[in-house]
Amino acid sequence: MSKATDADAELGVTLEINGQEVQAKQGETILEATERTDIDIPTLCAYADLTNVGACRMCLVEIDGSRLETACTTAVQDGMEVEVDTDDLWDHRQTILELMFSEENHYCMYCEMEGDCELEDMFNRAGLDSSRFPLEYPEIDPDTSNEFITMDLDRCISCGRCIRTCDEVVGNDTLSFGNRGKDATIVADDDVPLGESSCVSCGACVQSCPTGALYSPLSAYRGREEDCDVVQTTCSECSMGCELEVYTNSGRIVKIEGVEDGPDGGQLCEMGRFGLLGDDRDRIHEPSIRGEGAVGVDVATDRVADLLEDAETVDAVASDRLPSETLDAFAEAMDDYDAAVEVPGAGRAREEKRIARQVAKHFEKSPSGLRASGPRALLDADSVVVFDTDIVDTHPVAASYVRRASKGGATLLSVDEDEDRFGRKSDVSIEAGTGLDRVSEDAVEVVEEGASALSDVDAETLMDAVPALTSGIGVVVLGPDVSEDTIVNAYALAGMTGSKVLSLPRQANTGTDVGTDDLHGSADVAYLFAGDDREENVDRMLDVARGADTVIVQATRESILTKAADVVLPALDWFERSGTVTDASGADREIARVLEPRVAVDSDREVLSALSEAVEPQEVKP
Amino acid sequence: MASLDSIRQSIHESDADVGGDDAEIIPADADVEDVCDEEVDTVRSLIEPFPDDKEGVIPALQEVQGEYGYLPRFSMQLIADKAGTSMAHVYGTASFYSQFYLEPRGEHTIKVCTGTACHVKGADEISEEFCDELDVELEEVTDDGQFTVSHVRCIGACSLAPAVMVGDNVHGNVTEEKVPDVIEEYRGDDA
């Protein structure tokens, strides 16, 4: 309710809080009004942009010397006199805190969150060191069924932040309150273990939990927040480019959180929050040459330079998750050896730019006018069409925004060749047996000619659903596996209806212009810069490796690729790199070094420039 | 879970092909995929009249419980689908109200009053006697699917303590000796 406040409204309401004159906006809550002041109203259930519900009663304030209200749900009024810190109010807060403490099993000393716990802080702030009430000792089994998230309701105060986060931020609705009164508890789906529920393990609830009721075993007992260094960087697992807040302690990563007031609203996915912590493939620490074992960096780069120089043909492939600066250095180095260069996945972004230009010309618009500014554009949409719902797996954060749009009242039309992954969130699902390009073409026809003679079985559904695009704000989402025809149709659809396209290629860094060559296919030497790419992403590189006589691999961790290599060069991991990547919406995002590299090389670019320098001066062509 | 033929039988009495002698009660945790199409259609048609949003959840739950006597998991999935809400929301609603049951119930619930007067006059012994006689625990259903014994707060019949309610009938001054008679009154009665 309180979040409906118009951000641009003027400060037209004057009230007094703790004797201090405060200016507020019409419709704003007392709690929101104090955010512009140094007055600190205690809260437990309020969090970031979540709807306020007044559940914890910590923000009780005294209004006009008589009535008590929760500041998070009470709107400001002109001339209101509010007291926040009277003895009477703190008496109430103490009692509530003592009841919270006695109701569940809060044994702070043994809790992972001790030191980072908002309940403990509040207990201290209220001047409490014990509870007057006898402890209830309820019997609670911690739920460890999810490998990333432990739900230990021994520490739960039923503030409902996790439920609202799952609903309002993730749009997944896995969590709810079950039962009633004193027995009320957090449940997943119909009270099944979290690991067997519809939970997508994004961990947003872990980030919002004020106590130790939801925590990740991957981060547990690795250090309190105050003992950690925090670095902001960008995730390069997909083209979303989510901002990561990485906590480190004693040279290791403790946990990763989203940034609530950042461009992504704090939402991350399982991969970004947990997967990055748990890469247990063996690290490549130093260069090695087949038959000779580990060698020094100089020896290895000299050997690589020799191999490249002696080769008639060189095929070079680099991972699309590397920063643009590194990819440029790669292209430059390979160019010195006349290599054919490819960045798998970069084709899609290039193709799309060309399509957008042409479609835009047709509709007398600018190409950028056809593209959505980012996933947040979905929140303002009246209708959303998704081609390829696999974004639920490949771009989970974008999927959250789609679900939120649907919950916010947007009409959601999902088109997929298989099962619609948005399930009941979709208003219309089309299982496109005939392929996405056919359905997207039909959609264009529906807009163009209205009730035309569509032969498809899906025609009727399309006729009902597509017109929603033409009224209000529409967004067409393109998943990772769509054909060129579908991309053309999607842009055409956007051009005709005034909608925007949100394109989500698999490729992590969409900003590179590197990689336009056709590879030789069976070259003398293959140079494969895999970085920290995972097994499923190195298929293309494996193909190239199979065709080549000699294989050089620059990689972070051991994989099937490094086993096939004649020379292996170490590469940095995601948390050691620095540079820039471009996200799916075309915005540049910074990658910052989180930890110093602990391998033989300090920078991927150094290795590449050493290769460039090793080239003997070429004859200048006349 | 014990097989509860008779509930299924009685539900489908007019529907000779469905159910039959071997019909088993649908387990509480059966998913939509686990039950036959007829059951899915039955639930769909039951909940059809209600609104396609959260407002429709409670009347739909009541309707389904009216048919099955409790809320099997698959019915809650169908209700969530229809109302465009989550399983968590439907479960949260169903578990909030004491009128909804998430486990199979007997056709007749024997409600033993445990209000102050009945308690003093030996409600506990009466309730134990019912359970022993039927060979069930509290809130469990008998193997033949006919009875569930349950405790309720004061039913307002203190002058008849200890009192027991079955359906809309009140049985007053119940003694341990009378327990088999009360049970017999309802046994096999498929009203």
Side-chain angles (χ1 to χ4, degrees), chain B residues 2 9 12-13 33 43 62-63 67 81 113 146 153 175 182 190:
Chain B
Q9 240 169 307
H12 289 292
E13 236 176 10
E33 299 81 47
V43 170
Q62 286 170 325
E63 195 68 21
E67 172 79 16
D81 274 338
C113 178
Q146 293 223 7
R153 298 292 167 220
T175 58
V182 173
D190 296 351

Side-chain angles (χ1 to χ4, degrees), chain A residues 7-269:
Chain A
D8 300 324
E10 285 187 25
L11 298 174
V13 181
T14 308
L15 67 160
E16 211 172 84
I17 305 178
N18 280 1
Q20 184 180 331
E21 195 180 287
V22 174
Q23 299 291 324
K25 296 170 189 171
Q26 195 68 46
E28 203 172 40
T29 64
I30 298 170
L31 182 64
E32 283 166 334
T34 58
E35 280 162 15
R36 282 184 294 273
T37 70
D38 56 2
I39 299 164
D40 183 9
I41 298 181
T43 58
L44 278 176
C45 70
Y47 186 69
D49 284 337
L50 299 181
T51 309
N52 289 323
V53 291
C56 73
R57 320 311 286 177
M58 284 302 108
C59 69
L60 274 183
V61 291
E62 189 185 283
I63 295 171
D64 297 335
S66 54
R67 65 194 169 107
L68 301 185
E69 300 278 2
T70 45
C72 70
T73 55
T74 307
V76 291
Q77 276 173 9
D78 224 11
M80 214 179 216
E81 283 176 25
V82 180
E83 285 295 334
V84 175
D85 284 315
T86 65
D87 289 347
D88 193 33
L89 285 169
W90 277 108
D91 268 356
H92 285 297
R93 290 180 192 134
Q94 278 186 343
T95 308
I96 296 160
L97 282 166
E98 285 172 288
L99 287 167
M100 280 182 190
F101 240 74
S102 62
E103 203 176 39
E104 312 294 340
N105 301 314
H106 299 274
Y107 303 113
C108 296
M109 274 177 73
Y110 310 103
C111 177
E112 198 282 313
M113 282 294 281
E114 200 279 325
D116 290 331
C117 174
E118 291 178 41
L119 178 66
E120 187 188 28
D121 289 348
M122 196 61 73
F123 218 62
N124 292 335
R125 186 171 165 186
L128 289 166
D129 56 9
S130 63
S131 167
R132 280 171 290 166
F133 307 112
L135 298 179
E136 287 267 323
Y137 300 111
E139 233 175 90
I140 295 167
D141 288 327
D143 180 350
T144 56
S145 58
N146 181 313
E147 63 175 308
F148 302 114
I149 302 168
T150 297
M151 187 154 85
D152 184 356
L153 298 178
D154 283 309
R155 275 85 196 226
C156 180
I157 54 169
S158 296
C159 68
R161 278 196 203 176
C162 53
I163 296 173
R164 280 173 286 146
T165 302
C166 197
D167 171 4
E168 297 170 21
V169 178
V170 191
N172 209 50
D173 303 308
T174 296
L175 300 176
S176 173
F177 280 117
N179 307 316
R180 177 165 49 165
K182 205 166 129 313
D183 297 325
T185 179
I186 311 291
V187 295
D189 293 343
D190 54 334
D191 201 12
V192 296
L194 200 58
E196 293 163 26
S197 72
S198 59
C199 172
V200 292
S201 303
C202 71
C205 55
V206 173
Q207 183 164 337
S208 68
C209 179
T211 71
L214 284 160
Y215 65 90
S216 174
L218 301 186
S219 306
Y221 308 113
R222 293 190 162 205
R224 297 173 184 168
E225 281 189 8
E226 63 178 3
D227 299 325
C228 289
D229 294 320
V230 185
V231 179
Q232 288 198 2
T233 184
T234 302
C235 179
S236 45
E237 289 296 322
C238 77
S239 53
M240 288 294 290
C242 297
E243 198 170 10
L244 305 177
E245 207 164 55
V246 187
Y247 289 74
T248 64
N249 178 18
S250 311
R252 66 178 179 179
I253 297 174
V254 173
K255 66 172 174 181
I256 300 174
E257 294 206 327
V259 186
E260 264 106 11
D261 47 6
D264 314 305
Q267 167 65 333
L268 296 176
C269 67

Side-chain angles (χ1 to χ4, degrees), chain B residues 24-69:
Chain B
E24 293 195 353
I25 189 145
I26 301 165
D29 58 355
D31 285 328
V32 172
E33 299 81 47
D34 300 335
V35 297
C36 62
D37 293 347
E38 282 88 349
E39 296 296 349
V40 173
D41 291 343
T42 304
V43 170
R44 286 225 170 99
S45 62
L46 281 171
I47 63 179
E48 179 50 37
F50 306 112
D52 288 341
D53 53 31
K54 284 183 181 176
E55 278 172 43
V57 170
I58 291 177
L61 288 170
Q62 286 170 325
E63 195 68 21
V64 169
Q65 182 161 299
E67 172 79 16
Y68 290 85

Side-chain angles (χ1 to χ4, degrees), chain A residues 248-536:
Chain A
T248 64
N249 178 18
S250 311
R252 66 178 179 179
I253 297 174
V254 173
K255 66 172 174 181
I256 300 174
E257 294 206 327
V259 186
E260 264 106 11
D261 47 6
D264 314 305
Q267 167 65 333
L268 296 176
C269 67
E270 174 190 317
M271 194 65 207
R273 196 184 299 268
F274 303 123
L276 293 176
L277 294 174
D279 195 339
D280 50 8
R281 294 173 296 168
D282 285 336
R283 189 75 197 264
I284 295 164
H285 291 279
E286 52 197 350
S288 61
I289 298 175
R290 186 185 294 275
E292 297 172 33
V295 295
V297 178
D298 292 346
V299 176
T301 45
D302 284 350
R303 179 70 61 87
V304 170
D306 288 346
L307 285 168
L308 289 171
E309 205 149 6
D310 293 343
E312 283 282 306
T313 51
V314 180
D315 277 345
V317 183
S319 163
D320 57 41
R321 63 171 54 208
L322 298 167
S324 300
E325 293 82 352
T326 306
L327 286 172
D328 288 344
F330 168 78
E332 203 175 303
M334 291 302 125
D335 196 43
D336 291 337
Y337 295 98
D338 289 329
V341 176
E342 181 185 300
V343 177
R348 158 98 178 248
R350 252 195 318 281
E351 198 176 285
E352 242 185 276
K353 269 184 204 156
R354 185 173 54 81
I355 292 168
R357 255 200 315 276
Q358 282 176 357
V359 173
K361 206 190 294 170
H362 190 77
F363 292 100
E364 296 175 351
K365 289 181 179 169
S366 71
S368 60
L370 286 174
R371 302 190 68 174
S373 55
R376 289 208 155 208
L378 287 162
L379 301 184
D380 299 324
D382 298 309
S383 59
V384 178
V385 183
V386 180
F387 290 105
D388 183 8
T389 58
D390 272 347
I391 60 167
V392 169
D393 291 328
T394 60
H395 298 74
V397 174
S400 281
Y401 280 96
V402 171
R403 286 191 294 257
R404 284 169 66 179
S406 157
K407 290 167 78 100
T411 309
L412 174 59
L413 164 61
S414 299
V415 187
D416 202 291
E417 282 173 14
D418 300 308
E419 185 198 356
D420 173 10
R421 304 291 309 280
F422 286 110
R424 59 170 77 102
K425 291 281 189 311
S426 299
D427 294 290
V428 182
S429 310
I430 296 180
E431 199 175 309
T434 49
L436 296 181
D437 26 357
R438 175 68 183 277
V439 174
S440 57
E441 196 179 316
D442 285 352
V444 171
E445 265 178 47
V446 169
V447 176
E448 240 174 9
E449 294 159 35
S452 69
L454 291 180
S455 54
D456 217 87
V457 278
D458 300 322
E460 218 168 294
T461 339
L462 273 178
M463 308 274 278
D464 290 342
V466 171
L469 266 183
T470 53
S471 59
I473 303 167
V475 178
V476 181
V477 181
L478 286 172
D481 295 319
V482 291
S483 68
E484 186 179 329
D485 283 346
T486 305
I487 298 177
V488 172
N489 293 334
Y491 275 90
L493 202 57
M496 284 189 294
T497 58
S499 309
K500 309 270 185 185
V501 176
L502 178 68
S503 181
L504 302 168
R506 234 177 256 279
Q507 172 197 20
N509 183 0
T510 67
T512 175
D513 286 325
V514 175
T516 51
D517 303 333
D518 286 330
L519 298 188
H520 299 96
S522 53
D524 294 338
V525 172
Y527 189 100
L528 309 169
F529 190 168
D532 58 332
D533 255 344
R534 315 234 163 194
E535 298 273 331
E536 61 269 23

